Amino acid sequence: MSVDLGMPAAPPPVLAPRRRTRSLQVGTVQVGGDAPISVQSMTTTVTADVNATLQQIAELTAAGCDIVRVACPTQDDADALPAIARKSQIPVIADIHFQPKYVFAAIEAGCAAVRVNPGNIKKFDDKVKEIAQAAKEHRTPIRIGVNAGSLDPRLLAKHGKATPEALVESALWEASLFAEHDFHDIKISVKHNDPVVMVRAYELLSEACDYPLHLGVTEAGPAFQGTIKSAVAFGALLRQGIGDTIRVSLSAPPVEEIKVGTQILQSLNLRPRKLEIVSCPSCGRAQVDVYTLAEEVTAGLEGMEVPLRVAVMGCVVNGPGEAREADLGVASGNGKGQIFVKGKVIKTVPEHQIVETLIEEAMRIAETMEDVTGEPSVTVG
C-alpha cells in the first residue's frame, strides 16, 4: 500500500557537496565524514546540580538536540559529570577552561568528548601528552575551541587583534601538539562574534586541515540578532560545504538554539524537513488577517514531526499557486478560504473555520502516514 503525500522521490537539492573531513565518534553521534550535520547546545544550569542539568538536557533532547555541552569550572561540577554522562540520552561534552585537571576528570567520567580552549588553560601545553594518552585510552575526542574573546596573548601581540589568521593559527598550533603524540580524534572551532571574520577564519581553516569543524558565531546576541548572525554565517560556509556540527549561540533559553539550528539545516535541505509553513507577508491585496492565520496554524501544529508543507495565503494573486504546490494549503479572500490538499480544492470554508480545518487536515495526513509506516509520526501539543 502506498499513499501519495507529495514526498520527493529523489534527495532534495543542496547548495554544495559536503567537504570531506575525518570522521570521529562523539558518543553515539558520528561527526565528520559523511555523517549528517549535528546540532548542539549548552546547558545554562550549574552542572553540579545534577537533577536540574539532566532536566534541561531532557528538554534539549526533546527539541532535537544531538549533542550537549556542560560547563565544568569547579570540582563540584567535575564530580557531577559521571552521573550526567551516564543518565543523559544524548552525548555530553565537558567544557573545560583554566584547569587541566578537569580534562582528566571529564575523560574518566565517561563524557563523550571534551572541549578545551587553548587560549586560557594554564600550562595546558605541558599536559598535552598526558591528555592525549588518557583520551586515546578512553576513545574520547577533543574539541579545540578557539574563541576571539580568549585568544592566547602571544597571538594577540603578534596579530594585533583576533583576526581570522590568529584564530586559525591558535587552532592549528594546538592540534599539532596533539598530533605529535599521535592523537587525531579532534574537531575544531574558531569562533568570533563578527560573522564576516568568523566565515573567513573557517574558510582558512578548511583549506589547512581535514579535521571536522564545529561552526558557531560566539556571543551572537539576543534571539533575533543572534539568529540572523548565525544564519548568514552558517549559510555562507555551508554553501561551500564547510561545517560538520553547529551551535547557534543565543542570549535565550537553550531550546531556542536548537530550534534555530534545526531550521537553518532544514531550510538548506541538510536535515530532513518536518513541518514547514509557507505564508505570504501580506500586502494591500490581502483580504484576510494573514498574520493571525499563520501564527494560529503554526501554534496549532507545533510539535508535528511529519515532513508537511502548509501554505497560508491571503489573496488570489499568489495564493492558489502556492496552495497547490504545498501538501496542504489555503487561498483566502472575501471572508472565505479554499482548502487545497495535494493541489486539489477539497472544500471552501468561512474564514473563521480556516485554522480549524487546516489543523484537522494536517492531522488526517499525519495519521495516514502513520498507518503506512506503522510508526508514530506526529505529536502535536
Side-chain angles (χ1 to χ4, degrees):
M1 176 183 177
S2 63
V3 177
D4 179 13
L5 293 173
M7 309 309 298
V14 296
L15 291 174
R18 289 277 301 286
R19 164 184 168 268
R20 188 75 180 190
T21 59
R22 302 185 189 196
S23 175
L24 56 83
Q25 201 69 29
V26 180
T28 56
V29 176
Q30 181 187 342
V31 176
D34 59 358
I37 298 172
S38 52
V39 180
Q40 303 190 24
S41 185
M42 186 171 183
T43 57
T44 58
T45 57
V46 175
T47 303
D49 188 338
V50 174
N51 289 336
T53 301
L54 286 172
Q55 175 61 37
Q56 192 168 78
I57 290 175
E59 293 168 0
L60 287 166
T61 303
C65 185
D66 297 306
I67 300 170
V68 65
R69 184 156 44 109
V70 299
C72 186
T74 71
Q75 186 61 52
D76 286 343
D77 297 317
D79 292 341
L81 291 177
I84 293 171
R86 185 175 66 255
K87 294 180 180 180
S88 173
Q89 292 182 310
I90 56 177
V92 174
I93 297 177
D95 191 66
I96 311 297
H97 299 266
F98 303 114
Q99 294 291 345
K101 66 179 181 179
Y102 297 143
V103 176
F104 297 104
I107 292 172
E108 293 291 336
C111 289
V114 177
R115 181 270 175 118
V116 297
N117 185 334
N120 63 17
I121 292 191
K122 300 175 182 177
K123 300 180 180 178
F124 179 74
D125 292 353
D126 297 335
K127 298 287 186 181
V128 168
K129 181 178 180 180
E130 297 173 46
I131 291 173
Q133 182 177 354
K136 189 182 297 185
E137 289 176 357
H138 288 78
R139 297 184 179 180
T140 307
I142 300 289
R143 172 156 75 93
I144 297 173
V146 179
N147 193 299
S150 53
L151 194 63
D152 189 314
R154 295 169 294 182
L155 292 174
L156 281 176
K158 176 181 177 180
H159 293 272
K161 59 181 179 180
T163 63
E165 293 77 9
L167 297 173
V168 172
E169 183 175 343
S170 176
L172 293 178
W173 167 254
E174 207 64 44
S176 72
L177 297 180
F178 279 98
E180 287 179 4
H181 302 289
D182 195 31
F183 185 83
H184 305 284
D185 281 349
I186 293 169
K187 58 178 176 168
I188 300 178
S189 62
V190 282
K191 297 186 179 182
H192 197 287
N193 60 57
D194 184 328
V196 176
V197 176
M198 173 267 199
V199 167
R200 185 55 185 153
Y202 279 99
E203 289 173 339
L204 292 173
L205 186 59
S206 70
E207 294 170 1
C209 72
D210 64 351
Y211 290 117
L213 303 183
H214 169 98
L215 304 187
V217 179
T218 190
E219 287 93 38
F224 177 76
Q225 175 180 293
T227 295
I228 299 299
K229 280 187 174 184
S230 298
V232 297
F234 293 177
L237 289 167
L238 295 170
R239 173 66 181 86
Q240 303 174 69
I242 299 172
D244 300 285
T245 182
I246 65 172
R247 188 231 171 153
V248 177
S249 298
L250 301 177
S251 299
V255 165
E256 296 303 311
E257 298 184 350
I258 299 304
K259 291 179 180 179
V260 173
T262 300
Q263 191 60 54
I264 290 172
L265 295 182
Q266 287 184 16
S267 297
L268 296 174
N269 289 331
L270 293 170
R271 177 169 283 210
R273 296 193 186 203
K274 296 181 181 178
L275 176 67
E276 180 182 6
I277 303 295
V278 177
S279 59
C280 64
S282 191
C283 66
R285 297 190 300 267
Q287 297 177 326
V288 297
D289 185 351
V290 177
Y291 300 151
T292 299
L293 279 181
E295 288 176 358
E296 290 181 352
V297 171
T298 301
L301 297 179
E302 184 177 2
M304 177 164 280
E305 296 293 318
V306 298
L308 189 71
R309 175 176 289 184
V310 180
V312 181
M313 307 301 294
C315 80
V316 297
V317 175
N318 296 319
E322 289 287 357
R324 286 192 184 95
E325 289 298 315
D327 298 297
L328 171 65
V330 61
S332 309
N334 297 320
K336 57 187 178 182
Q338 285 187 317
I339 306 298
F340 291 75
V341 173
K342 294 310 303 169
K344 297 179 181 178
V345 178
I346 62 166
K347 66 179 73 172
T348 300
V349 299
E351 181 177 344
H352 70 274
Q353 292 182 6
I354 289 175
V355 173
E356 176 185 354
T357 303
L358 287 176
I359 292 173
E360 287 177 352
E361 290 299 326
M363 294 298 294
R364 184 185 62 79
I365 292 173
E367 289 171 2
T368 302
M369 294 182 71
E370 183 176 347
D371 289 342
V372 172
T373 63
E375 297 178 358
S377 57
V378 59
T379 51
V380 176

